[in-house]
């Protein structure tokens, strides 16, 4: 009996040590799952911002082309025009989107429109999309037909800028 008593005395605190180890493991698993959830939320926010930037840049180009005016038509060759659209609030988190358009006249019949769409404030940009659109004024069959606004050139007139 004396030998059994020594075994019990030698094991004192073992259950406490195992309980502390299990608590530490639980805390590590909890911290890891919280970090994984935070990382997944950031990934979803970044993906949504990229989609918003892409869609908003195309909308801005379409709105600019639909509202083509005489100010754009009267630019001399080599001159440019800058317009800012926004801030607009879009998406599930109502992210602030600012789009800057730059029109530049290349020749009497050709123009280029550069678009820079930024999602998020200047100090914490979530996504950015830059596009360039080449435009050409269609030729008029005679001088009595109205002057038409320029249209995109061919198949590859819209290009991504990085």
């Amino acid at each position: 009996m004396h030998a059994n008593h020594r075994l019990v005395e030698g094991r004192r605190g073992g259950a406490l040590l195992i309980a502390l180890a299990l608590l530490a493991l639980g805390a590590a698993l909890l911290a890891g799952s919280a970090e994984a959830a935070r990382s997944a939320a950031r990934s979803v926010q970044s993906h949504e911002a990229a989609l918003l930037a892409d869609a908003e840049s195309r909308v801005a180009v379409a709105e600019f082309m639909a509202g083509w005016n005489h100010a754009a038509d009267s630019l001399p060759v080599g001159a440019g025009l800058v317009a800012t659209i926004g801030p607009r609030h879009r998406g599930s988190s109502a992210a602030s989107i600012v789009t800057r358009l730059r029109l530049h006249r290349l020749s009497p019949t050709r123009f280029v429109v550069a678009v820079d769409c930024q999602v998020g404030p200047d100090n914490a940009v979530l996504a950015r999309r830059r596009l360039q659109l080449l435009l050409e004024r269609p030729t008029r069959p005679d001088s009595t037909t109205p002057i038409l606004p320029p249209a995109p050139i061919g198949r590859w007139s819209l290009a991504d800028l990085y």
Side-chain angles (χ1 to χ4, degrees):
M1 265 228 220
H2 190 45
N4 282 341
H5 184 60
R6 258 196 234 155
L7 283 174
V8 171
E9 281 181 14
R11 290 187 192 169
R12 276 192 186 169
L16 181 62
L17 183 62
I18 292 172
L20 286 174
L22 287 175
L23 279 173
L25 176 66
L29 289 174
L30 185 63
S33 64
E35 182 57 35
R38 224 178 348 261
S39 177
R42 278 193 308 264
S43 173
V44 167
Q45 183 183 23
S46 176
H47 183 69
E48 181 188 26
L51 291 175
L52 284 172
D54 184 47
E56 194 66 26
S57 63
R58 293 174 188 274
V59 166
V61 167
E63 287 175 352
F64 183 77
M65 292 305 299
W68 188 265
N69 56 25
H70 295 291
D73 254 346
S74 65
L75 285 174
V77 174
L81 177 71
V82 177
T84 301
I85 301 171
R88 294 178 176 176
H89 298 284
R90 301 277 194 258
S92 62
S93 61
S96 173
I97 301 174
V98 175
T99 306
R100 290 172 189 83
L101 282 119
R102 185 173 300 137
L103 174 69
H104 191 79
R105 190 166 198 159
L106 301 174
S107 73
T109 59
R110 290 206 173 159
F111 299 85
V112 64
V113 177
V115 180
D116 179 17
C117 184
Q118 172 183 308
V119 178
D122 288 335
N123 59 355
V125 176
L126 298 173
R128 178 167 298 218
R129 180 74 168 176
R130 292 181 175 135
L131 297 175
Q132 174 180 301
L133 179 65
L134 291 174
L135 305 170
E136 186 172 41
R137 183 176 308 286
T139 56
R140 297 188 314 171
D142 59 38
S143 61
T144 61
T145 59
I147 298 174
L148 297 172
I153 297 174
R155 190 172 170 184
W156 295 283
S157 63
L158 187 65
D160 293 322
L161 300 175
Y162 297 99

